[in-house]
Amino acid sequence: MSQPENATAETVDAIGTVHALISSGRHPVSGRPGRAREDARAVEMGLTLAGAGLHLVHAGNAEEPALRDYLGMYHGLDDSAARGELSLLPMAAEDDAVPPLAHWLETQGARMVLTGQRAECGEGSGMLPYLLAERLGWSLTTGVAAIEAVAATHVTVLQALPQGQRRRLDVRLPCLIAVDACAPAPRQSAFGPARRGKIEIVEDVTPERDAARAEWQWQPARPRPKRLKVVKATNARERFRAAAAKSSAANGQVLSDLTPEQAADKLIAYLRAEKILVDDDEPASD
Amino acid sequence: MLQTLLPILIFASLIMGAIGALRRVRLWRQGRRTPVVWRNLLLMPKRYLVDLHHIVARDKAMAHTHVATAGGFVAAMALALIVHGFGWRNPLLGGLLLASSLVMFVGALAVNRRRLHPPEKLSKGPWQRLSKSLLAYSVGMLLVSLPLVGVAPTLLGGGVLAVALTALVAWGVLELVVGMGWGGPMKHAFAGAMHLAFHRRPERFDDQHSNAQHDDHRGSRSTALFSLDLTAEKLGVEKPTDFQWNQLLGFDACVQCGRCQAVCPAFAAGQPLNPKKLIQDMVVGMAGGSDAHYAGSPYPGIEMGKHQGAPDQAIVPQLVEAETLWACTTCRACVEECPMMIEHVDAIVDMRRFITLEQGETPPSGAVALENLIATDNPGGLDNASRLDWAADLDLPRIQQRPEGVDVLLWLGDGAFDMRNQRTLRALIKILRAADVDFAVLGEEERDSGDVARRLGDEATFQRLAKRNIETLARYRFQRIVTLDPHSFHVLGREYPAFGGDYTVLHHSTFIAELFDAGRLSVKPSEQRETITYHDPCYLGRYNGEFDAPRRVLAALGIEVAEMARSGFRSRCCGGGGGAALSDVPADLPGRARIPDMRMDDVRATGAATVAVACPQCTAMLEGVVEPRPQVRDLAELVAEALIESHEAMPVSNPNETLEEVPA
Ligand code: SF4
Ligand code: SF4
């Protein structure tokens, strides 16, 4: 990874404390709680970037056993005596995590927040980064594979695209960075640092009920049917090309330097072309 | 002139030696303090003559040499103190002094002969010098004492010759008496004596066993790792001062004889580990300095003179590279051979504990195994409920359905997930059914025993697994546990008692031998067309002293075992234990044989077409050797093949089997 030399000192100068939002993961085989795949990568990215200056945040239950697993990652840092610190915003599963998180991050003066893209249990809608960035008025980048450089006003990140492609983006600060599962693997969680880490419960959190959630209907998930991929190929070369083909996203186009109105028109036109948006007078022909 | 010089020399050297000894004691006491039982000093002479000699005597010639040299020296020094020191010039004592000097001289000659072409395992440098110093002292003392019995009284009375002789004796006492306290090669005598008295594992000595003569294998008496207090400030050993003081004392007792190096499988395979150098590095760390003065074989592939240590400085990586610690298979061959009864494996695991628990730097494959153990209770990260998948057609009795209790709880171990080992397990089930054994399994309630986690230094995960397993076992009733995995056998039988789990645990070889003794198995005698040899698993043999049962089983099959040169307590490790297989230390180095390859060469040397094994790990390692090679068969497979399955085979009543028939 192309980490800038002496990343820690520069980062602190440029953006102050880096925060990582974490949640409890669920092991795919046993279902036991533990570090979530993407959140752990976000913490790893934060530790590489800011060292012991990374601060963890969790909105939820203080008894969550997985929290200590993240604190166990505070080792191998420049300051060997450093220990992890986690701020816990207490709330129940029915509460909306966005308002307390937004409020807390604002009071802390946070300018850069790392998180996974989607929780492994609970709602796991993947909406939290969007809602949080919207509420804070920050920029948001998802699918981040690496942070390349940090400056006073922006960060340079690599965004993961399908087929191993990467896109370099300059993101304006303050920003929220949602880390992709293909970011560098998280370091081991060690028992000693996990034990020593500090969990500080934030007192003045007033949870709000999640209004949208209250209206939902719940039902057990059904296994999603697999889409059949029919390849009509007569020879090995074509079969290989079909297998190695890039996703259809490859024929998209990048629009830039448009006014918001022009951009909206382009998007609507695209959605119409794809028959996702249907004009009211023109009934959908499924 | 001699009469004035000698007393000065003797007393000065004794005082200097004593001052040095006190400094040495201060070095040891930098370690963590544990209570000192002074009375144990009284046990020391017997421990030296019985336990230590038991190991030294495995090399007969060296044992005799040591007895002559050391015995001669101790006697000569004591007598010299009386005769020359206090001036009681009694001819009888003088004669004894001459005699002991002579005995020492003969011993010193043998030492020097060995040092003419010293084998690779021996250290050179000061140790070469020591052999000369022994000669100097014995010759000098012999000659200065001649006047006592009336020989050449005038010749030696004064002049140049007297000065020369005094110089010779001075050289001797400087090395042998002053050096004993100040850290020369002779410090092994002082530190060794103290080490015997304050050894961290007193169970290793005969005086702790009422029936020492009929005890099982001596080296196997105390092999459970010490449990770690997980609430301690610091977990494991980071700096030399984090060792307990008597561990530091133990390191200081090393005589650099290299017996440990000679048997270490990792050293032989060219991996960066040499147990002798490791112990010397611990001494360097304790006293401070660099490894440049070490005069023995290095860690293969690691340059000497580049590492230094200090009592309060981290050991890894300044003094010892982490890969050195991870290369160890915990086979205990070094501990078994060490004449000073030093505990290498404890030290290695102590340092691994710090790396894993505090630094989170377990080698990647090991870290993955640990993470899996935490999440799924098995190192492969597999669904623990699939532990019995291999036995879907066997209709195994579950202990959950036997509230009244069973005779045998069959512990499957993680081999239950391994396709090769599943064949062995099926063979064992066949044997149990043929002998009509009342057994049951835990099924998915069984978890990994914690063996690998513990050897990788993850004491937290080990203790969690141990406690959960003990809770599970407490819910069911059984007489004893039988397992075909020596690692589970060791951990359940020897390491769980520290956590409140006391069970009778039998390895399947022991259990099958019992079944044969009780006449519960009938087999067709082997035609013995081929030679068979047997490989002793470290955790069955050296760790638990079971050498006999597997051989009895083979004998019951009518098989004569062609023993390998290294068998029994000297068996060479297969390379699979102690997490070494998960250490990512490169196992196949250019131009060097891997550990299992070397073991397979041992097998080939017997001309055997089949090697009988008794451990899933050994099976995997040895079968990993490329063909063509001898076949690898577990004892259970050999027995199952020879079974005569008759349906009228009625169970013969077995005195060992007092089953509780009363319902719970
Ligand atoms: S336990 Fe075995 S591998 Fe480890 S140092 Fe001793 S002899 Fe070598
Ligand atoms: S550790 Fe023991 S076996 Fe090894 S060199 Fe020292 S005294 Fe000899």
Side-chain angles (χ1 to χ4, degrees):
Chain A
M1 282 291 102
S2 53
Q3 280 302 334
E5 279 292 305
N6 208 353
T8 312
E10 271 178 26
T11 315
V12 174
D13 289 350
I15 48 173
T17 309
V18 177
H19 291 76
L21 309 183
I22 54 163
S23 64
S24 174
R26 182 148 295 180
H27 193 269
V29 173
S30 67
R32 285 194 196 157
R35 292 183 288 172
R37 231 166 99 81
E38 289 177 349
D39 289 353
R41 284 169 166 75
V43 174
E44 174 65 42
M45 204 175 270
L47 287 172
T48 325
L49 190 68
L54 177 77
H55 192 96
L56 306 182
V57 192
H58 174 68
N61 177 5
E63 302 306 312
E64 186 57 67
L67 300 182
R68 294 245 163 234
D69 293 351
Y70 292 101
L71 289 169
M73 294 171 70
Y74 279 76
H75 55 74
L77 307 170
D78 291 345
D79 175 10
S80 60
R83 56 177 191 168
E85 287 183 10
L86 184 149
S87 294
L88 190 118
L89 315 177
M91 62 164 238
E94 305 80 52
D95 294 336
D96 187 355
V98 174
L101 280 175
H103 176 72
W104 192 82
L105 289 171
E106 261 171 352
T107 52
Q108 297 298 307
R111 299 193 68 217
M112 187 201 245
V113 174
L114 302 165
T115 179
Q117 305 190 98
R118 177 193 293 268
E120 289 178 0
C121 50
E123 285 171 24
S125 64
M127 286 299 287
L128 185 118
Y130 295 93
L131 296 172
L132 195 55
E134 183 186 36
R135 189 168 180 124
L136 288 165
W138 290 11
S139 16
L140 165 73
T141 319
T142 56
V144 171
I147 296 179
E148 288 196 318
V150 181
T153 53
H154 65 273
V155 285
T156 310
V157 303
L158 279 187
Q159 189 182 40
L161 298 178
Q163 311 283 330
Q165 298 179 89
R166 296 288 183 270
R167 173 157 59 195
R168 181 168 292 122
L169 298 172
D170 274 340
V171 187
R172 191 166 29 84
L173 285 167
C175 75
L176 205 142
I177 291 176
V179 175
D180 195 84
C182 68
R187 66 193 67 189
Q188 194 177 349
S189 173
F191 182 81
R195 190 184 55 157
R196 270 193 294 277
K198 208 170 95 188
I199 298 183
E200 173 220 4
I201 299 185
V202 180
E203 298 290 349
D204 56 344
V205 181
T206 39
E208 289 172 29
R209 287 282 132 165
D210 188 339
R213 182 189 164 104
E215 287 164 20
W216 293 345
Q217 286 182 6
W218 296 84
Q219 68 181 54
R222 261 173 319 183
R224 224 193 300 172
K226 269 224 183 77
R227 191 180 298 241
L228 279 182
K229 193 171 168 190
V230 184
V231 181
K232 289 198 204 93
T234 47
N235 57 30
R237 185 178 141 83
E238 274 176 30
R239 269 194 299 277
F240 175 77
R241 283 180 46 177
K246 289 180 179 168
S247 72
S248 51
N251 50 29
Q253 76 194 103
V254 178
L255 302 171
S256 52
D257 301 328
L258 297 176
T259 66
E261 286 73 25
Q262 286 169 326
D265 286 343
K266 289 273 186 194
L267 286 176
I268 292 171
Y270 171 76
L271 294 174
R272 285 219 171 94
E274 292 288 318
K275 295 208 175 60
I276 296 168
L277 256 188
V278 189
D279 290 332
D280 292 339
D281 48 276
E282 205 179 298
S285 53
D286 271 43
Chain B
M1 185 164 135
L2 271 178
Q3 268 150 20
T4 43
L5 279 180
L6 279 177
I8 296 173
L9 199 57
I10 289 174
F11 286 113
S13 70
L14 283 176
I15 291 168
M16 285 303 288
I19 295 173
L22 284 178
R23 283 187 67 237
R24 214 71 211 166
V25 173
R26 285 238 307 277
L27 286 181
W28 305 332
R29 297 293 282 173
Q30 300 175 105
R32 287 190 207 167
R33 302 294 178 93
T34 45
V36 179
V37 188
W38 292 105
R39 155 178 102 247
N40 281 356
L41 279 175
L42 299 176
L43 299 172
M44 189 261 290
K46 190 156 166 245
R47 287 181 175 180
Y48 172 76
L49 292 172
V50 176
D51 302 279
L52 190 135
H53 196 75
H54 168 81
I55 305 172
V56 178
R58 288 177 191 166
D59 181 346
K60 281 280 182 305
M62 190 53 221
H64 295 152
T65 306
H66 191 259
V67 166
T69 322
F73 168 65
V74 170
M77 196 61 213
L79 289 162
L81 180 63
I82 299 170
V83 174
H84 296 301
F86 293 111
W88 189 27
R89 310 178 73 76
N90 176 315
L92 183 65
L93 289 180
L96 285 175
L97 176 54
L98 280 177
S100 32
S101 303
L102 200 62
V103 170
M104 181 179 171
F105 175 67
V106 173
L109 279 182
V111 172
N112 277 278
R113 212 186 58 201
R114 185 156 176 257
R115 287 279 165 181
L116 279 181
H117 304 286
E120 190 212 351
K121 63 179 183 175
L122 291 180
S123 288
K124 321 289 172 333
W127 294 88
Q128 290 291 79
R129 187 189 71 217
L130 173 65
S131 58
K132 310 286 176 309
S133 312
L134 290 168
L135 276 184
Y137 180 89
S138 52
V139 170
M141 194 49 78
L142 190 74
L143 292 183
V144 295
S145 305
L146 281 179
L148 295 173
V149 288
V151 181
T154 48
L155 184 69
L156 299 176
V160 186
L161 193 56
V163 173
L165 283 184
T166 316
L168 211 54
V169 176
W171 172 10
V173 291
L174 206 61
E175 176 85 273
L176 300 178
V177 180
V178 179
M180 195 180 285
W182 286 83
M186 276 308 285
K187 82 170 190 282
H188 82 266
F190 172 54
M194 295 302 122
H195 174 54
L196 287 181
F198 302 117
H199 200 284
R200 193 169 174 225
R201 291 181 177 272
E203 309 80 31
R204 291 193 64 186
F205 299 102
D206 267 0
D207 52 41
Q208 307 289 311
H209 298 265
S210 50
N211 196 1
Q213 251 48 52
H214 303 283
D215 200 355
D216 57 2
H217 177 60
R218 283 178 164 168
S220 72
R221 282 170 181 162
S222 177
T223 54
L225 288 176
F226 290 96
S227 57
L228 182 67
D229 174 8
L230 291 174
T231 60
E233 186 93 346
K234 182 195 274 181
L235 304 172
V237 166
E238 179 193 19
K239 305 166 176 173
T241 49
D242 295 332
F243 282 111
Q244 294 198 351
W245 80 274
N246 49 359
Q247 284 180 285
L248 293 179
L249 161 58
F251 304 146
D252 216 17
C254 171
V255 282
Q256 303 197 31
C257 66
R259 291 192 189 191
C260 53
Q261 166 188 325
V263 294
C264 177
F267 178 80
Q271 294 185 18
L273 168 63
N274 175 352
K276 166 171 133 176
K277 169 96 170 34
L278 184 79
I279 297 301
Q280 283 313 305
D281 281 348
M282 298 299 105
V283 175
V284 167
M286 173 184 79
S290 108
D291 66 345
H293 306 295
Y294 167 72
S297 308
Y299 299 127
I302 296 185
E303 208 183 320
M304 275 203 285
K306 293 259 149 90
H307 291 76
Q308 348 69 30
D312 267 313
Q313 177 194 298
I315 296 174
V316 179
Q318 288 92 321
L319 183 58
V320 175
E321 297 291 338
E323 53 175 2
T324 295
L325 304 176
W326 295 114
C328 174
T329 69
T330 70
C331 73
R332 254 185 100 80
C334 49
V335 183
E336 177 75 46
E337 287 297 320
C338 177
M340 302 309 282
M341 307 180 90
I342 295 168
E343 297 283 344
H344 312 64
V345 176
D346 283 348
I348 290 172
V349 173
D350 280 342
M351 290 185 274
R352 284 184 178 184
R353 283 175 173 170
F354 182 80
I355 296 178
T356 293
L357 293 173
E358 295 285 9
Q359 296 187 304
E361 298 201 339
T362 320
S365 320
V368 169
L370 293 177
E371 214 166 297
N372 286 335
L373 281 167
I374 292 169
T376 64
D377 294 334
N378 64 71
L382 301 160
D383 185 358
N384 209 39
S386 64
R387 204 174 264 275
L388 280 184
D389 281 5
W390 57 276
D393 59 331
L394 291 179
D395 193 21
L396 291 187
R398 309 289 188 97
I399 197 145
Q400 291 83 353
Q401 291 147 9
R402 298 291 306 277
E404 76 282 8
V406 291
D407 177 27
V408 167
L409 173 68
L410 183 64
W411 186 273
L412 304 173
D414 292 324
F417 296 107
D418 171 57
M419 281 163 81
R420 170 64 182 89
N421 187 242
Q422 288 165 2
R423 298 210 310 263
T424 316
L425 279 168
R426 293 181 78 93
L428 181 59
I429 303 286
K430 189 174 163 196
I431 298 167
L432 296 180
R433 292 218 153 121
D436 214 5
V437 174
D438 175 30
F439 75 98
V441 294
L442 278 171
E444 61 176 278
E445 279 196 77
E446 183 185 313
R447 298 173 157 88
D448 176 271
S449 64
D451 168 67
V452 172
R454 193 168 223 201
R455 315 298 136 186
L456 287 176
D458 192 347
E459 183 75 4
T461 300
F462 165 74
Q463 290 192 9
R464 199 156 38 213
L465 287 166
K467 283 177 190 148
R468 291 203 186 143
N469 274 325
I470 290 170
E471 276 166 26
T472 305
L473 291 170
R475 287 203 298 275
Y476 303 110
R477 303 182 63 184
F478 51 86
Q479 295 291 310
R480 45 206 172 149
I481 300 175
V482 171
T483 178
L484 53 64
D485 172 20
H487 297 266
S488 305
F489 167 59
H490 171 74
V491 171
L492 263 64
R494 279 195 187 253
E495 300 195 340
Y496 277 14
F499 302 92
D502 279 297
Y503 317 105
T504 311
V505 190
L506 298 180
H507 184 246
H508 72 312
S509 61
T510 319
F511 187 67
I512 295 174
E514 257 180 36
L515 292 178
F516 273 118
D517 289 349
R520 290 170 70 180
L521 288 173
S522 32
V523 290
K524 46 182 177 306
S526 138
E527 286 115 48
Q528 180 90 23
R529 277 183 313 248
E530 48 174 27
T531 322
I532 288 192
T533 186
Y534 169 68
H535 164 74
D536 289 274
C538 307
Y539 277 74
L540 181 63
R542 267 191 299 274
Y543 272 78
N544 287 287
E546 184 59 278
F547 303 107
D548 191 36
R551 292 176 169 80
R552 263 164 53 213
V553 169
L554 291 171
L557 293 177
I559 294 170
E560 221 173 288
V561 179
E563 293 287 1
M564 287 181 265
R566 284 179 64 174
S567 65
F569 71 84
R570 280 202 160 137
S571 172
R572 192 208 293 262
C573 176
C574 71
L582 299 168
S583 69
D584 301 320
V585 180
D588 38 359
L589 296 159
R592 307 294 286 255
R594 300 176 316 133
I595 299 176
D597 292 337
M598 291 188 294
R599 191 52 173 163
M600 198 46 93
D601 285 341
D602 292 349
V603 172
R604 287 194 185 103
T606 64
T610 300
V611 51
V613 290
C615 168
Q617 198 76 259
C618 301
T619 316
M621 294 307 283
L622 293 177
E623 276 197 345
V625 175
V626 287
E627 303 252 19
R629 51 150 170 75
Q631 292 308 300
V632 181
R633 311 298 304 279
D634 193 276
L635 284 177
E637 293 179 286
L638 294 172
V639 174
E641 246 164 48
L643 278 181
I644 303 170
E645 286 181 88
S646 58
H647 293 286
E648 76 279 344
M650 291 299 290
V652 184
S653 80
N654 179 359
N656 290 325
E657 201 177 333
T658 43
L659 203 139
E660 288 174 86
E661 291 291 10
V662 246

